[in-house]
Amino acid sequence: VLVGDAVRLQQVLTNLVHNAVKFTLHGEVRLTVQALEIRKDRVLVGFTVVDTGIGIRPEDQAVLFQPFTQAREGTKKQYGGTGLGTSIAKQLVEAMGGTIRFASEYGKGTMFQVELPFGIASGTAIAGKTGETATPSIPARTGKAAILVVEDYPPNQDIIRSHLSGDSYQVYSAANGQDALELLESHSADLVLLDIHMPVMDGFETISALRRDPRFARLPVIALTADALVETRMSCMKAGMDDVLTKPVRKRELLDLIEWYLAGRHGSGQDKERPRQAVPLPAVEIPEKEKAGGSDQIWARQQFLEFLDNDRETGNLVLGGFLKETAILIEHLEQAFAAGDFTTLHRHAHSLKGGALNLMASRLAAAAWRLQEAARDESGQVIPGAMEDLRQAFDEFRKETKDSL
């Protein structure tokens, strides 16, 4: 079992394979995976995407990884796209500590090579055979309560993992409902934390599949949502979820609720009253003036620290991950808008809004909310201005957090 960032890896390979297919009219596209270097606690894995497509002109190769770069206007007209795929792939690979390079001969094809380091879970044997792919990372069962976190946005995963850190729980994660169902086929879980809005398979589709399976009919599932509306809570409960936590999820509430459900699952009873959720944190609400762009609050630094029990080390890790992820996410937003993909635009804006609320960045959250609403309404006239507001809010947040915690 390899330990790494499955979400980013999927994004990288999707971008590279998508480009290869798009530019290959005849011949083949081939993806291979190989263990390049194996040590006691880590393995360097190589991913190679080879196509027999149109190739890249020598004069275009020097700028291939720059945003919005695509080989010539004629190519863009014939094949479509914005030229963001390779730029995003490079950023993602470097964020994971890896490298990416390519070789191409115009008229004959292109080869991209990605090398990424992965950890090796305890008890895993790595044979190093070419072409084998790794299964999603799961810790070996230790007797601790196993918590499955199903959440597509890495900064949100980081915060949940921070809350659950310590010796009490064994935590593993999936980026969407489909991945979660696959993991549960071979690994047990005592409780599931399930995000509602995810790509591939969302929370409602996931809970429906779980409750249809007798093995998971009574598995405790707690929904995670940034929507505090009563209607949303009722929809979650009606769908089959046991409970709902509103983002940003506070540590004490999360731990109390998990312990309450685990007590019932393991037969020790639920004699105590269900833990109550506190009132929403003031900084994570988006008042009307902020929705209209009138807020002057960039970052509630002290409140963010209190949210993490004044753990500055974790706070810096979460903040750093959020900054990297948001820079990439904004490029995804640009790409979705250029393609007229309002569904993806809405989903990414929603993810960014939730992440900003977790960071107590209310101005950035409000800007993401305005873009989310414009995407939902498919308002092509409003979206460019909302995108510009979002970029400005993110730049302000980066400056505000420059010295971190």
Side-chain angles (χ1 to χ4, degrees):
V1 176
L2 302 184
V3 180
D5 193 327
V7 176
R8 287 193 174 116
L9 176 60
Q10 183 180 30
Q11 289 175 313
V12 169
L13 296 181
T14 297
N15 273 325
L16 295 181
V17 172
H18 174 76
N19 276 351
V21 172
K22 181 170 64 174
F23 293 114
T24 302
L25 298 179
H26 306 285
E28 66 175 2
V29 173
R30 187 169 68 253
L31 168 64
T32 58
V33 184
Q34 181 178 11
L36 302 176
E37 178 183 334
I38 301 172
R39 296 184 180 179
K40 182 178 180 181
D41 60 347
R42 65 181 293 276
V43 58
L44 184 66
V45 181
F47 302 86
T48 305
V49 179
V50 180
D51 67 65
T52 57
I54 63 173
I56 305 168
R57 295 176 185 270
E59 59 268 33
D60 294 323
Q61 294 183 17
V63 295
L64 187 67
F65 289 120
Q66 294 180 11
F68 301 102
T69 297
Q70 191 176 77
R72 305 188 177 272
E73 188 65 25
T75 304
K76 182 175 181 179
K77 289 180 179 179
Q78 180 179 355
Y79 295 94
T82 61
L84 278 168
T86 52
S87 171
I88 292 172
K90 184 174 187 293
Q91 290 186 50
L92 290 169
V93 168
E94 291 177 348
M96 291 186 284
T99 60
I100 182 171
R101 58 183 180 271
F102 73 96
S104 182
E105 185 173 351
Y106 185 64
K108 292 188 176 181
T110 302
M111 176 180 68
F112 278 89
Q113 291 181 311
V114 174
E115 295 182 5
L116 291 171
F118 292 89
I120 302 175
S122 177
T124 300
I126 304 293
K129 295 180 181 179
T130 302
E132 294 184 351
T133 57
T135 57
S137 64
I138 301 282
R141 186 71 170 175
T142 62
K144 301 176 183 177
I147 310 296
L148 171 58
V149 181
V150 189
E151 164 69 66
D152 68 308
Y153 191 47
N156 289 348
Q157 281 191 20
D158 292 341
I159 287 180
I160 296 294
R161 284 182 172 277
S162 168
H163 288 345
L164 298 176
S165 63
D167 298 327
S168 299
Y169 304 112
Q170 184 180 32
V171 183
Y172 55 101
S173 58
N176 56 65
Q178 181 175 302
D179 287 351
L181 294 176
E182 291 177 359
L183 292 178
L184 288 170
E185 284 298 319
S186 56
H187 297 80
S188 61
D190 295 292
L191 184 142
V192 176
L193 299 173
L194 181 63
D195 186 29
I196 299 301
H197 298 284
M198 296 179 293
V200 186
M201 179 182 283
D202 66 21
F204 290 107
E205 294 171 313
T206 305
I207 192 63
S208 177
L210 286 173
R211 295 314 187 213
R212 288 196 305 267
D213 190 323
R215 295 173 299 171
F216 309 125
R218 300 185 64 184
L219 176 65
V221 177
I222 300 174
L224 305 176
T225 176
D227 189 349
L229 295 176
V230 174
E231 292 84 352
T232 300
R233 181 180 182 85
M234 291 177 63
S235 296
C236 291
M237 304 295 280
K238 185 177 180 180
M241 300 176 198
D242 296 282
D243 223 309
V244 181
L245 280 176
T246 303
K247 297 177 184 178
V249 177
R250 282 165 287 196
K251 181 176 182 178
R252 190 68 266 156
E253 287 182 6
L254 175 65
L255 296 180
D256 286 348
L257 199 57
I258 287 176
E259 284 303 309
W260 191 78
Y261 276 103
L262 291 181
R265 181 171 173 81
H266 294 301
S268 56
Q270 292 175 331
D271 299 330
K272 294 190 295 184
E273 182 182 356
R274 177 198 175 280
R276 296 179 180 273
Q277 291 190 48
V279 296
L281 292 165
V284 304
E285 296 176 337
I286 306 180
E288 292 303 320
K289 70 172 185 176
E290 292 186 19
K291 292 177 180 179
S295 171
D296 57 1
Q297 172 125 38
I298 298 175
W299 187 35
R301 179 180 182 275
Q302 187 56 40
Q303 195 165 5
F304 173 60
L305 266 177
E306 292 172 359
F307 176 57
L308 294 176
D309 289 345
N310 291 304
D311 185 343
R312 293 176 183 272
E313 182 178 358
T314 296
N316 281 321
L317 289 173
V318 170
L319 179 61
F322 174 77
L323 291 172
K324 287 182 180 179
E325 197 67 31
T326 301
I328 294 168
L329 200 56
I330 287 177
E331 288 202 0
H332 282 306
L333 288 166
E334 298 274 12
Q335 188 177 27
F337 178 53
D341 186 349
F342 295 108
T343 300
T344 300
L345 189 67
H346 180 276
R347 175 166 56 82
H348 286 325
H350 178 84
S351 294
L352 179 51
K353 179 192 72 174
L357 289 175
N358 277 333
L359 270 290
M360 311 297 170
S362 57
R363 183 184 291 188
L364 180 58
W369 179 87
R370 290 192 294 273
L371 179 59
Q372 170 191 300
E373 295 303 291
R376 184 191 64 183
D377 297 337
E378 298 188 2
S379 179
Q381 294 181 334
V382 176
I383 290 174
M387 285 291 304
E388 181 57 35
D389 290 344
L390 181 66
R391 284 190 291 266
Q392 182 178 344
F394 182 52
D395 286 342
E396 291 170 344
F397 181 75
R398 281 195 293 197
K399 293 177 182 176
E400 185 77 9
T401 59
K402 184 177 180 181
D403 297 326
S404 299
L405 301 171

